[in-house]
Every structure is written in C-alpha cells, then in structure tokens.
Amino acid sequence: MTYQVDYDRLVARTYDSVYSIVRDPCGDSAFYRLMAEEIGGPLLELGCGTGRVLLASAETGLECVGLDASNEMLDVLREKNPPENVTLVQGHMENFDLGLGRFRLITAPFRAMQHLLDPQSQLAALKNIHRHLTSDGVFVFDVFDPDLAAIAVEEEPEVLDATFEYQGGEMRRYVTVVRDLSTQVMALTLRFEGENADLVGSTRFHMRWYYRYEIEHLLARAGFEDVTLFRDFAQTPWSSGGEIVVVARRRAS
C-alpha cells in the first residue's frame, strides 16, 4: 500500500497555526536539529510537510532535502522561501530515488511513518531508507506509543481538538476517530469551522500505530542495527507511556 495520506488544502493551510500550539511545546524541532548537528549531513527529511521541523534543521547549514507526498503541503513550504541549502521533492517513502548511499542522516518527524498502513509498505519504506543512507548513516523518527486503554475504544465521538487563529480569525478543529483493531489502523476525520469561510469543511486520513518490538523487528528486517529508543525528545530512555523516538544505525551490506 502506498503512502495514502491526502493533506488537502484544509490541513495544509491550517497546519502551522494548529501545530504551533499542539506540537511545538514537545521540543521535537530542537531534537531533530540537535541530531543534524551531531550526525551531520546531507540530511533527508521524510514527510517534511510545511517545514516546521525541516527549516529548523536547515539552520545548521547542512545540505537538506525535504520529501513529502502532498504537493499542497510543499506549496505552503515553498511560500516561505526556504534557504538555498533546502531542496524540496514530491514523492513517497517506499519508492523515492535520490541517490543511493547519499545521506548521512534521514529523519521522519512527527509520526510520518504512521501513514504507512501495512507491514509491506512499512518494510518497503525502511529498505528504501536503508539504501539511501551512507555506510555509517542514521535513521531517526518518532511515533506515538499506543495507550492500550485508548486504542481499545473502536469509535470516539467528535470532540474539539484545537482552537487557533488563522489570518486574524478564530478557527476550531474537531476530530472523530474510528479504529480497526485487527489492522492497527485508525481513521481520523477532521472538521474545521470558524470565521474563515474558505477553510470550513472536513477531511479524512488514516494512521497505523506501532508497538515497540514491532518497530525493532521491522528495523532488523530492513538492515538496521544499534537501535536506541527514547520516550521523549529530551532523550529519556524509553518506557511505556510517552513517545517512541527511534535512532537506528545502518548495517553495512
């Protein structure tokens, strides 16, 4: 299955306004920038979106490539006039071709890997990432650690997810979640309403959750070793109940 998420205009245009509130406080941008400083480049960021994380990493001066499946998201990033050390590419994680063995660091921030909806597409993406890394390259990504009580609820009624300002007007985002426990896939419906009539409407996308040992198994099959897990972006050793932040090193073939 290919990377299915369709971040249409509703999500792309509101993305920065929403996630400056609900995601920036976790410190993920600073963490990925630190990884870039410590590991070096060239750097490839998968699922770069509007550049929330990528532009912070680009401040290091490294050669950076941002890849995303959504042209709507990339258009928002292009409007920010990214610096000369940033190249943007539309493509999918499973089959992009940007030069084998080219990147010292590949990242997939903010749960980008969770838009791969079955083990076949996950493994295809991981093998492709492995091929694109230098012999001593590193892959860094994060996913949410599933709360067993929460994911046991197959349907959640609509709730207010975020209130934010867009172009001077107040907007509200509501979310509805439906989970398929047999496939570990959840469908999220986002509904926007508020003062900006151009951004009133709904969109739907899917995400698949991972368990800790499932991640390690997939990484080993794809050729990674020396896997380190953290529970947050302060690099606290992993224990259940937080994020799953993964640093995996390429195994030379």
Side-chain angles (χ1 to χ4, degrees):
M1 183 180 295
T2 58
Y3 182 57
Q4 291 286 331
V5 64
D6 179 16
Y7 277 121
D8 62 9
R9 183 180 55 84
L10 290 174
V11 175
R13 291 292 157 185
T14 60
Y15 190 91
D16 290 337
S17 297
V18 171
Y19 291 106
S20 65
I21 299 170
V22 303
R23 186 62 175 178
D24 282 356
C26 75
D28 61 342
S29 291
F31 166 79
Y32 282 101
R33 175 175 174 155
L34 179 62
M35 291 294 100
E37 291 172 341
E38 292 184 351
I39 297 168
L43 161 67
L44 168 62
E45 183 178 306
L46 304 174
C48 66
T50 66
R52 186 183 66 86
V53 174
L54 179 63
L55 293 178
S57 297
E59 292 175 356
T60 62
L62 297 174
E63 176 193 348
C64 296
V65 177
L67 181 141
D68 202 281
S70 168
N71 270 321
E72 293 276 2
M73 298 287 274
L74 291 174
D75 283 344
V76 174
L77 177 47
R78 292 184 185 105
E79 291 169 8
K80 298 178 181 179
N81 297 313
E84 292 184 357
N85 61 317
V86 173
T87 302
L88 302 180
V89 178
Q90 192 277 331
H92 298 268
M93 289 188 243
E94 306 97 311
N95 56 19
F96 66 87
D97 184 357
L98 299 174
L100 301 186
R102 173 181 172 186
F103 296 98
R104 178 76 177 85
L105 173 63
I106 297 179
T107 64
F110 195 19
R111 305 168 183 170
M113 293 294 291
Q114 294 190 250
H115 295 301
L116 299 164
L117 302 183
D118 56 48
Q120 292 76 27
S121 57
Q122 293 162 356
L123 193 56
L126 288 171
K127 288 182 176 180
N128 197 29
I129 290 164
H130 188 274
R131 288 191 292 266
H132 278 78
L133 285 168
T134 60
S135 60
D136 58 350
V138 181
F139 178 41
V140 184
F141 67 99
D142 64 85
V143 297
F144 68 75
D145 188 10
D147 180 299
L148 297 182
I151 63 174
V153 179
E154 295 190 34
E155 296 190 23
E156 294 184 22
E158 182 179 83
V159 296
L160 176 63
D161 178 51
T163 300
F164 60 97
E165 183 177 303
Y166 183 83
Q167 295 183 345
E170 183 181 275
M171 298 292 297
R172 294 170 297 282
R173 189 179 80 172
Y174 298 84
V175 62
T176 306
V177 181
V178 178
R179 297 182 179 87
D180 184 334
L181 303 184
S182 64
T183 61
Q184 298 174 210
V185 173
M186 58 185 190
L188 297 98
T189 300
L190 302 180
R191 184 174 65 84
F192 296 84
E193 65 174 37
E195 298 176 12
N196 192 315
D198 291 338
L199 292 175
V200 172
S202 299
T203 188
R204 191 169 188 257
F205 65 97
H206 296 80
M207 298 182 74
R208 186 179 189 276
W209 64 85
Y210 297 79
Y211 298 101
R212 178 256 174 96
Y213 291 109
E214 178 183 14
I215 292 171
E216 292 184 318
H217 176 71
L218 286 165
L219 286 167
R221 289 182 64 188
F224 289 92
E225 59 183 11
D226 188 17
V227 176
T228 302
L229 303 178
F230 304 112
R231 75 184 312 273
D232 56 33
F233 297 103
Q235 301 186 53
T236 305
W238 185 83
S239 60
S240 62
E243 304 275 345
I244 305 179
V245 183
V246 183
V247 179
R249 299 186 180 277
R250 184 187 191 277
R251 182 168 64 235
S253 53

